[in-house]
Amino acid sequence: AVPVPVAVAPPGAAVAPPPPAVAATPPAPLAPAVPVLAFSQPVYQTGTGQTIEVVVIGENLKGTGQIPLEVMYNPQLLSYVRTDKGENPALLKEAEAHPARGQIRLSIDTATAPESGRVVLARLFMQGSRPGVSYLVYRMPAVKSPTGETINAQLRAARVVIQ
């Protein structure tokens, strides 16, 4: 062991008091996680006449209230088949398709969403109509909390390659 030098005051010398304790600064509260709406894959691939499953997922949705969500796609390249509910059926209140416009409206109620993590909101089944690339994009009005505060959500698009 290496000896550690210790300062010793001579007898009768004044000893300096220890420095005052510094109050610990409490950690800043964590910012709430940003809600995310995405698809399970950034790129889907299918063939003409084949049906694919497109999974709509959400993250950090607790406390975002009702979310009116639209999924837009190119109706010349993809045909709508059906929508199934996700892992928690209570999250998807309603699904309404407008195939001629390339639009699927989803009404999401986040009251039963998990506190954090990913959850499957819906499963969209689509069929390739002809070769090309169709983008899947979200369109939605601003998300409001139950208190009326605007919540900035992150929307992540995907694309479908039809061969």
Side-chain angles (χ1 to χ4, degrees):
V2 177
V4 177
V6 177
V8 178
V15 178
V22 176
T25 306
L30 294 174
V34 174
V36 176
L37 294 164
F39 299 98
S40 63
Q41 299 177 40
V43 179
Y44 293 88
Q45 293 199 15
T46 191
T48 302
Q50 294 179 336
T51 300
I52 59 166
E53 177 185 19
V54 175
V55 180
V56 177
I57 58 171
E59 291 183 57
N60 308 317
L61 297 179
K62 192 69 171 180
T64 55
Q66 301 282 335
I67 302 175
L69 180 65
E70 292 180 4
V71 176
M72 309 295 293
Y73 62 94
N74 184 337
Q76 295 175 352
L77 302 178
L78 286 173
S79 298
Y80 172 80
V81 177
R82 74 176 190 276
T83 300
D84 288 351
K85 292 186 177 229
E87 309 169 337
N88 179 343
L91 290 172
L92 180 61
K93 291 297 181 191
E94 183 180 354
E96 179 184 339
H98 300 277
R101 292 191 302 231
Q103 178 186 66
I104 304 167
R105 290 184 180 166
L106 305 173
S107 178
I108 310 295
D109 182 357
T110 65
T112 60
E115 289 294 327
S116 63
R118 292 176 113 176
V119 63
V120 174
L121 300 172
R123 298 175 188 285
L124 309 177
F125 292 86
M126 309 183 87
Q127 187 175 65
S129 300
R130 65 181 219 211
V133 177
S134 174
Y135 287 86
L136 300 173
V137 295
Y138 288 115
R139 184 169 71 178
M140 62 185 261
V143 177
K144 300 279 186 183
S145 73
T147 60
E149 180 183 344
T150 299
I151 298 172
N152 294 321
Q154 215 180 80
L155 305 175
R156 296 182 186 159
R159 68 179 188 262
V160 179
V161 178
I162 304 110
Q163 298 171 340

